[in-house]
Amino acid sequence: GASRVATSSVFAPVAVRNVETQLAAKQTPHGGSLVDLILKSDEEKEAAVAKCSKELQLSPRQLCDVELIMNGGFSPLTGFMDQATYESVVDNAALPDGLIFGLPVVFDTDDEDLSPGDIVLLKDGDRNIATIEFTDKFLPNKAVECKKCYGTSEIEHPGSLMVATERGKYYMGGKITGLDLPVRDFPCKTPAEVRETLPDDVDVVAFQCRNPVHRAHYELFTRALDDPLVGENGIVLVHPTCGPTQADDIPGTVRYKTYEVLKEETRNDRTRWEYLPYSMHMAGPREAIQHMMIRKNFGCTHFIIGRDMAGSKSSVTGEDYYGAYDAQEFATEKGPELGVTPVPSLNLVFTEEEGY
């Protein structure tokens, strides 16, 4: 609310352009207003690029994070987390002002020469994506981060493996100025654009998935509209993540093609489809909160949580890291604080007698 006092530069008040469409859809953005850091004119973009002393290529995971910072998917963040913000989210699943936030959003690097104060152009190939003005540089305690966020620091866990082996040794806080959204094989609308398409007087139920949609998924998200927690005439927003995920998942571009086919086959005004440029951590309960928060920014009031949401298995023993309903229970506990209602899904089974 208005009484929150920001204690960190990364979500301190900045000249955020208020998007006129931000109140399209029933749901309030996380933290109160939708962040939009994308410069609108070529003159502004050229001036921002001219301030940069270096340029860096973004990794696929960083590209997803930059996009969600600049388009407001990670509202209220206006940049990558500084050390105080990072440690607060790791320890408490909340920003320093107490606002709930599931997982840290960090800029990682091995570059010894990058320093606080540097303004750097962030690129995807030849395309200018954003500039970042670094505010600090620190050595994270990755073991603590993984233990608290993923429940384990074993590198048998895909999230811990990513933090330990893919991410650089340093994390850097920094303010983002958006230039141009990435060009992807699948279209990713901004939160403001998605909100414009949503009715402003009914519940919007988000369905997150990272795999091709199969019949059980379809039953889950269509039946969710009949849940007593969902108001009359509610709609479903099927919102798959198409960014990097664990090594043995099907690639995002392939998943996107399966979604497009199903979208045509099941065309129905109460089912909407959009795509999210998010990289999975496979963090179970903490990731459920992150997904709910992002979908809140996209205008959703409810969120379907399936069995073992964002769960993962040990790459050595095959054992599950989380209980089947850990994410549902954590989401139900945190839902009121987050302002999103979890809709627990049932386990669905095929029966030959019924033919489905």
Side-chain angles (χ1 to χ4, degrees):
S3 63
R4 293 191 184 284
V5 179
T7 55
S8 165
S9 61
V10 174
F11 53 95
V14 291
V16 175
R17 295 155 185 282
N18 278 334
V19 186
E20 296 205 350
T21 56
Q22 71 183 30
L23 294 179
K26 185 175 172 181
Q27 176 66 279
T28 311
H30 198 47
S33 60
L34 195 61
V35 169
D36 174 20
L37 304 175
I38 305 169
L39 299 179
K40 301 302 182 273
S41 74
D42 290 343
E43 293 75 22
E44 288 175 301
K45 292 176 186 180
E46 285 163 17
V49 171
K51 292 180 186 169
C52 297
S53 55
K54 300 175 181 173
E55 57 180 56
L56 289 173
Q57 285 291 330
L58 292 164
S59 72
R61 285 186 186 272
Q62 288 172 336
L63 185 65
C64 288
D65 287 344
V66 170
E67 184 168 357
L68 289 175
I69 292 169
M70 62 198 246
N71 75 11
F74 280 143
S75 295
L77 295 190
T78 55
F80 283 97
M81 293 179 178
D82 59 19
Q83 186 168 6
T85 309
Y86 160 77
E87 289 176 353
S88 174
V89 172
V90 168
D91 290 342
N92 309 312
L95 299 172
D97 69 347
L99 187 69
I100 186 170
F101 208 98
L103 292 165
V105 179
V106 297
F107 188 90
D108 65 292
T109 184
D110 283 317
D111 192 329
E112 298 290 346
D113 297 328
L114 286 179
S115 304
D118 286 348
I119 302 177
V120 176
L121 179 61
L122 302 177
K123 302 189 71 158
D124 178 34
D126 294 332
R127 189 174 180 82
N128 294 343
I129 303 296
T131 70
I132 184 166
E133 182 175 355
F134 288 118
T135 54
D136 67 343
K137 185 176 192 175
F138 57 98
L139 279 169
N141 186 329
K142 291 185 175 184
V144 168
E145 175 187 344
C146 293
K147 192 83 175 168
K148 296 209 166 175
C149 294
Y150 308 149
T152 178
S153 53
E154 296 173 348
I155 60 169
E156 299 156 44
H157 183 287
S160 297
L161 183 67
M162 178 271 291
V163 169
T165 63
E166 286 183 36
R167 278 200 191 149
K169 69 186 278 193
Y170 300 107
Y171 292 171
M172 297 186 74
K175 295 177 183 176
I176 289 290
T177 301
L179 301 172
D180 290 294
L181 292 167
V183 175
R184 300 183 180 278
D185 293 328
F186 41 90
C188 293
K189 284 185 186 160
T190 68
E193 288 169 342
V194 171
R195 282 170 169 269
E196 276 192 337
T197 70
L198 299 175
D200 57 12
D201 56 351
V202 300
D203 289 340
V204 180
V205 185
F207 179 70
Q208 141 70 22
C209 54
R210 62 167 218 284
N211 286 312
V213 172
H214 49 67
R215 179 60 188 264
H217 287 140
Y218 176 71
E219 295 291 340
L220 275 185
F221 64 71
T222 50
R223 291 177 190 211
L225 292 175
D226 299 326
D227 192 288
L229 293 168
V230 178
E232 207 173 327
N233 300 319
I235 65 170
V236 167
L237 178 68
V238 186
H239 204 202
T241 57
C242 291
T245 178
Q246 60 186 359
D248 57 357
D249 276 352
I250 292 167
T253 48
V254 177
R255 302 197 301 267
Y256 164 63
K257 289 173 184 167
T258 70
Y259 302 140
E260 285 294 292
V261 170
L262 190 65
K263 182 166 91 173
E264 289 307 313
E265 286 181 356
T266 61
R267 190 168 282 284
N268 160 6
D269 196 49
R270 291 188 73 190
T271 307
R272 313 292 177 86
W273 295 74
E274 300 294 349
Y275 301 101
L276 184 73
Y278 174 86
S279 69
M280 291 292 297
H281 294 247
M282 315 308 299
R286 282 281 202 117
E287 191 143 37
I289 299 300
Q290 196 83 336
H291 281 299
M292 290 166 71
M293 178 199 79
I294 292 168
R295 288 354 185 276
K296 177 184 180 183
N297 287 326
F298 277 87
C300 300
T301 55
H302 293 63
F303 186 88
I304 299 168
I305 298 218
R307 184 187 168 284
D308 197 20
M309 156 124 197
S312 53
K313 299 179 188 302
S314 163
S315 60
V316 176
T317 65
E319 293 289 312
D320 286 326
Y321 272 109
Y322 311 110
Y325 300 102
D326 287 0
Q328 277 187 8
E329 286 165 11
F330 193 53
T332 302
E333 177 196 331
K334 296 291 187 184
E337 184 185 346
L338 190 54
V340 178
T341 304
V343 179
S345 69
L346 309 170
N347 267 344
L348 294 169
V349 294
F350 174 79
T351 128
E352 288 200 4
E353 287 78 14
E354 297 292 338
Y356 63 86

